[in-house]
Amino acid sequence: MRIVRRIGWSLLIIWFVVTATFLMVVAIPADPAKTILGPRATEQALARVNEHYCFDRSVVVQYGCWMANVARGDLGESYRTRRPVSELLGDRVWPTLQLALGAIMLQLLFGVPLGMWAARRKREWPDRAVTWVSLIAQSAPPFVIGTVLLYVVAYRWELLPLGGYGEAGLDRLAHLILPAATLAIAGIAYYARITRNELVETLDQDYVRTARAKGLPESTVLMRHAFRPALPPLVTLVGLDLGILAGGAVVTESVFAWPGLGREMLQAILDVDMPVILGVVLVTAIAVAVANLLVDVVHVALDPRLRDP
Amino acid sequence: MLACVSRVRRETRRSALIGAILVVVLVGLGVITPGDPHTLEVDRGLSELGLPLPPSADSPLGTDHLGRDVLARIAAGASTSLGVATLATLLALSIGVAVGLIAGYAGGWVDRVLMRTVDLVLAFPFLLLAILLASLLRESGLTTSSAPVVLTLALAGWTTMARVIRTKTMTLARSELVIAARAIGASPLRIVVRHLLPNVASVVVVVAVLGFAQNILAESVLSYLGLGPPPPDPTWGRMLYEGRTFYRTAPHLVLAPGLAIVIAVIAFNLLAEGLRGLVAEDRADYR
């Protein structure tokens, strides 16, 4: 029953996000017919295009038109490039997904061990170093981190490419590292902080003392006993990140010329290219909803208390 | 144990102090604005090849691609950033505090409706909302002021404030303080304004300072994307965007605004962290 209500609420949110986006885009005083035909189009041509896309009809009709088409699986075509939106999204989803997964992997790979280290040596220099570095990392916008990484690693040291998407395979990996790191740095800091705070609490618990008293090696105590209660918050974080990042990282993708959803959305909004905007927003909203549902499922798997009796 | 507590206190006090000092420096920079951020010094401000000059005695942070003094522009950027963030934070705070107090005190369906609204706004990816609002407000003819940026930041930022204040209000609403006020016949409005508001004030301050840091960060991102406060007022985000093309020959054009943003955000984050510690400490003393 709960799962049904959750799915219903998710659908409502998706609908709300898409509809609110539609209303805001419609309110932008732009002339989409001019976007399609260019500034020197004739009156007749403009009128024909207006009729074809129902720009001359009321907002309600335009909205109904779009919703009916979406229900039929047709997302329309871009005003600017005339490409079908579904095809365009298909091209953009994979790069964004690679970036998102890369960033989340880095966050887990570095954030969690750093947090453990800080918790083990609470109030000593590792703890304080992690706290300060995470404060700095969380205070830097992605374009600052990205540009500095680009300058130092790619330009000065010539270790990695200066941006772009690269060929599939190792070349792709080389192109992926810097943008993924840019996205991940603030996340690493955040994951480290959460892991540290959770562990500091559990390391004081009686059952951890019991485990130590039994003579278990410290690594076993840490991984099998103290770390387990820290898992649900981390799963929540991964889910949130997955949802947000799967919608595209506007700034990072712009800095590194990465052909993902975020850059597409920014360009589409600047061009007032309604079908593309709505398509990207639809994908983003669905990604967030799916990620949230996944988090719930994993939570139940991790915590037996949440299971139905 | 005692030694440990006093050490925590010392640390929170220190971070509050460092944050406060940095904030004062930033505000001072924004108010004094040394030098002239607008004049193009094509003769003196550019090298013979027409490139930006590196830092020197004349201009401590160098000049940009139009020969303008970078330090003067950083200072002017401080006043733009702080101004926008102040207005946005105040606006977000007035919505957030009102919604949080009402939802927390009223409870029931009022609470549910308000918090569902917060959920819906939060379901909107922040940058999508910001870019849409910014381009919507900009195209509506508000191009000559910072109003679109302020509104965008406020509309995206009130939600977290409302949540925090609601939680605090909910615990307070069940306290003897409120029961006593209701017993002597105080109206709900009076209870909220005279009894609840002063008691959530400390939380409001912390939330406001944290929100301020977020607003500076978000404003810089919008500026970088070309949707920030309009020229000629310099902003750090736009300075970095313009300097980005020269990063090979003149890295100071990227480093100076980048560092300015990071330092400003750190300053307010530190201040918030310190204040939070002091508020908690305050409460601990009463126990």
Side-chain angles (χ1 to χ4, degrees), chain A residues 31-44:
Chain A
D31 196 346
K34 269 219 169 91
T35 319
I36 298 170
L37 294 172
R40 267 177 282 174
T42 59
E43 288 295 319
Q44 294 100 309

PDB file of all heavy atoms in Angstrom, chain A residues 31-44:
ATOM      1  N   ASP A  31       9.450  34.725 -29.567  1.00  0.00           N
ATOM      2  CA  ASP A  31       8.705  34.403 -30.768  1.00  0.00           C
ATOM      3  C   ASP A  31       9.268  33.106 -31.332  1.00  0.00           C
ATOM      4  O   ASP A  31      10.229  33.116 -32.091  1.00  0.00           O
ATOM      5  CB  ASP A  31       8.855  35.545 -31.775  1.00  0.00           C
ATOM      6  CG  ASP A  31       7.807  35.439 -32.862  1.00  0.00           C
ATOM      7  OD1 ASP A  31       7.182  34.369 -32.950  1.00  0.00           O
ATOM      8  OD2 ASP A  31       7.622  36.418 -33.598  1.00  0.00           O
ATOM      9  N   PRO A  32       8.687  31.961 -30.928  1.00  0.00           N
ATOM     10  CA  PRO A  32       9.285  30.691 -31.343  1.00  0.00           C
ATOM     11  C   PRO A  32       9.311  30.530 -32.862  1.00  0.00           C
ATOM     12  O   PRO A  32      10.224  29.905 -33.396  1.00  0.00           O
ATOM     13  CB  PRO A  32       8.402  29.638 -30.672  1.00  0.00           C
ATOM     14  CG  PRO A  32       7.230  30.337 -30.144  1.00  0.00           C
ATOM     15  CD  PRO A  32       7.549  31.776 -30.020  1.00  0.00           C
ATOM     16  N   ALA A  33       8.319  31.101 -33.553  1.00  0.00           N
ATOM     17  CA  ALA A  33       8.312  30.989 -35.011  1.00  0.00           C
ATOM     18  C   ALA A  33       9.564  31.634 -35.588  1.00  0.00           C
ATOM     19  O   ALA A  33      10.160  31.135 -36.552  1.00  0.00           O
ATOM     20  CB  ALA A  33       7.063  31.653 -35.575  1.00  0.00           C
ATOM     21  N   LYS A  34       9.970  32.761 -34.994  1.00  0.00           N
ATOM     22  CA  LYS A  34      11.190  33.440 -35.447  1.00  0.00           C
ATOM     23  C   LYS A  34      12.417  32.584 -35.152  1.00  0.00           C
ATOM     24  O   LYS A  34      13.365  32.553 -35.931  1.00  0.00           O
ATOM     25  CB  LYS A  34      11.336  34.785 -34.740  1.00  0.00           C
ATOM     26  CG  LYS A  34      10.679  35.920 -35.511  1.00  0.00           C
ATOM     27  CD  LYS A  34      11.514  37.191 -35.448  1.00  0.00           C
ATOM     28  CE  LYS A  34      10.978  38.223 -36.428  1.00  0.00           C
ATOM     29  NZ  LYS A  34       9.984  39.110 -35.827  1.00  0.00           N
ATOM     30  N   THR A  35      12.403  31.883 -33.996  1.00  0.00           N
ATOM     31  CA  THR A  35      13.528  31.003 -33.670  1.00  0.00           C
ATOM     32  C   THR A  35      13.690  29.954 -34.762  1.00  0.00           C
ATOM     33  O   THR A  35      14.800  29.607 -35.172  1.00  0.00           O
ATOM     34  CB  THR A  35      13.281  30.278 -32.335  1.00  0.00           C
ATOM     35  OG1 THR A  35      12.712  31.190 -31.420  1.00  0.00           O
ATOM     36  CG2 THR A  35      14.560  29.703 -31.775  1.00  0.00           C
ATOM     37  N   ILE A  36      12.556  29.438 -35.239  1.00  0.00           N
ATOM     38  CA  ILE A  36      12.606  28.365 -36.223  1.00  0.00           C
ATOM     39  C   ILE A  36      13.093  28.901 -37.567  1.00  0.00           C
ATOM     40  O   ILE A  36      13.961  28.317 -38.217  1.00  0.00           O
ATOM     41  CB  ILE A  36      11.217  27.723 -36.383  1.00  0.00           C
ATOM     42  CG1 ILE A  36      10.790  27.102 -35.056  1.00  0.00           C
ATOM     43  CG2 ILE A  36      11.236  26.699 -37.497  1.00  0.00           C
ATOM     44  CD1 ILE A  36       9.353  26.666 -35.026  1.00  0.00           C
ATOM     45  N   LEU A  37      12.553  30.047 -37.993  1.00  0.00           N
ATOM     46  CA  LEU A  37      12.793  30.508 -39.366  1.00  0.00           C
ATOM     47  C   LEU A  37      13.950  31.497 -39.471  1.00  0.00           C
ATOM     48  O   LEU A  37      14.406  31.783 -40.569  1.00  0.00           O
ATOM     49  CB  LEU A  37      11.524  31.160 -39.915  1.00  0.00           C
ATOM     50  CG  LEU A  37      10.345  30.203 -40.092  1.00  0.00           C
ATOM     51  CD1 LEU A  37       9.096  30.979 -40.448  1.00  0.00           C
ATOM     52  CD2 LEU A  37      10.644  29.153 -41.143  1.00  0.00           C
ATOM     53  N   GLY A  38      14.404  32.032 -38.348  1.00  0.00           N
ATOM     54  CA  GLY A  38      15.453  33.032 -38.435  1.00  0.00           C
ATOM     55  C   GLY A  38      14.861  34.422 -38.531  1.00  0.00           C
ATOM     56  O   GLY A  38      13.655  34.576 -38.760  1.00  0.00           O
ATOM     57  N   PRO A  39      15.700  35.446 -38.333  1.00  0.00           N
ATOM     58  CA  PRO A  39      15.205  36.813 -38.208  1.00  0.00           C
ATOM     59  C   PRO A  39      14.621  37.392 -39.506  1.00  0.00           C
ATOM     60  O   PRO A  39      13.844  38.331 -39.468  1.00  0.00           O
ATOM     61  CB  PRO A  39      16.455  37.595 -37.771  1.00  0.00           C
ATOM     62  CG  PRO A  39      17.608  36.742 -38.194  1.00  0.00           C
ATOM     63  CD  PRO A  39      17.144  35.328 -38.132  1.00  0.00           C
ATOM     64  N   ARG A  40      14.957  36.822 -40.673  1.00  0.00           N
ATOM     65  CA  ARG A  40      14.502  37.464 -41.905  1.00  0.00           C
ATOM     66  C   ARG A  40      13.343  36.728 -42.579  1.00  0.00           C
ATOM     67  O   ARG A  40      13.156  36.818 -43.787  1.00  0.00           O
ATOM     68  CB  ARG A  40      15.673  37.605 -42.870  1.00  0.00           C
ATOM     69  CG  ARG A  40      16.344  38.971 -42.706  1.00  0.00           C
ATOM     70  CD  ARG A  40      17.536  39.103 -43.590  1.00  0.00           C
ATOM     71  NE  ARG A  40      18.693  38.398 -43.044  1.00  0.00           N
ATOM     72  CZ  ARG A  40      19.836  38.257 -43.682  1.00  0.00           C
ATOM     73  NH1 ARG A  40      20.002  38.746 -44.886  1.00  0.00           N
ATOM     74  NH2 ARG A  40      20.846  37.625 -43.121  1.00  0.00           N
ATOM     75  N   ALA A  41      12.569  35.995 -41.791  1.00  0.00           N
ATOM     76  CA  ALA A  41      11.463  35.222 -42.351  1.00  0.00           C
ATOM     77  C   ALA A  41      10.333  36.136 -42.815  1.00  0.00           C
ATOM     78  O   ALA A  41      10.124  37.209 -42.257  1.00  0.00           O
ATOM     79  CB  ALA A  41      10.953  34.251 -41.300  1.00  0.00           C
ATOM     80  N   THR A  42       9.589  35.701 -43.829  1.00  0.00           N
ATOM     81  CA  THR A  42       8.459  36.498 -44.326  1.00  0.00           C
ATOM     82  C   THR A  42       7.250  36.271 -43.438  1.00  0.00           C
ATOM     83  O   THR A  42       7.187  35.295 -42.692  1.00  0.00           O
ATOM     84  CB  THR A  42       8.081  36.079 -45.759  1.00  0.00           C
ATOM     85  OG1 THR A  42       7.733  34.689 -45.729  1.00  0.00           O
ATOM     86  CG2 THR A  42       9.233  36.298 -46.707  1.00  0.00           C
ATOM     87  N   GLU A  43       6.282  37.217 -43.563  1.00  0.00           N
ATOM     88  CA  GLU A  43       5.067  37.136 -42.756  1.00  0.00           C
ATOM     89  C   GLU A  43       4.318  35.833 -42.997  1.00  0.00           C
ATOM     90  O   GLU A  43       3.881  35.173 -42.052  1.00  0.00           O
ATOM     91  CB  GLU A  43       4.146  38.325 -43.077  1.00  0.00           C
ATOM     92  CG  GLU A  43       4.637  39.656 -42.537  1.00  0.00           C
ATOM     93  CD  GLU A  43       4.658  39.678 -41.011  1.00  0.00           C
ATOM     94  OE1 GLU A  43       3.703  39.157 -40.406  1.00  0.00           O
ATOM     95  OE2 GLU A  43       5.639  40.185 -40.430  1.00  0.00           O
ATOM     96  N   GLN A  44       4.185  35.446 -44.281  1.00  0.00           N
ATOM     97  CA  GLN A  44       3.408  34.240 -44.596  1.00  0.00           C
ATOM     98  C   GLN A  44       4.061  33.016 -43.972  1.00  0.00           C
ATOM     99  O   GLN A  44       3.379  32.164 -43.406  1.00  0.00           O
ATOM    100  CB  GLN A  44       3.312  34.013 -46.115  1.00  0.00           C
ATOM    101  CG  GLN A  44       2.527  35.078 -46.834  1.00  0.00           C
ATOM    102  CD  GLN A  44       3.457  36.078 -47.485  1.00  0.00           C
ATOM    103  OE1 GLN A  44       4.353  36.616 -46.837  1.00  0.00           O
ATOM    104  NE2 GLN A  44       3.243  36.336 -48.773  1.00  0.00           N
TER     105      GLN A  44
END
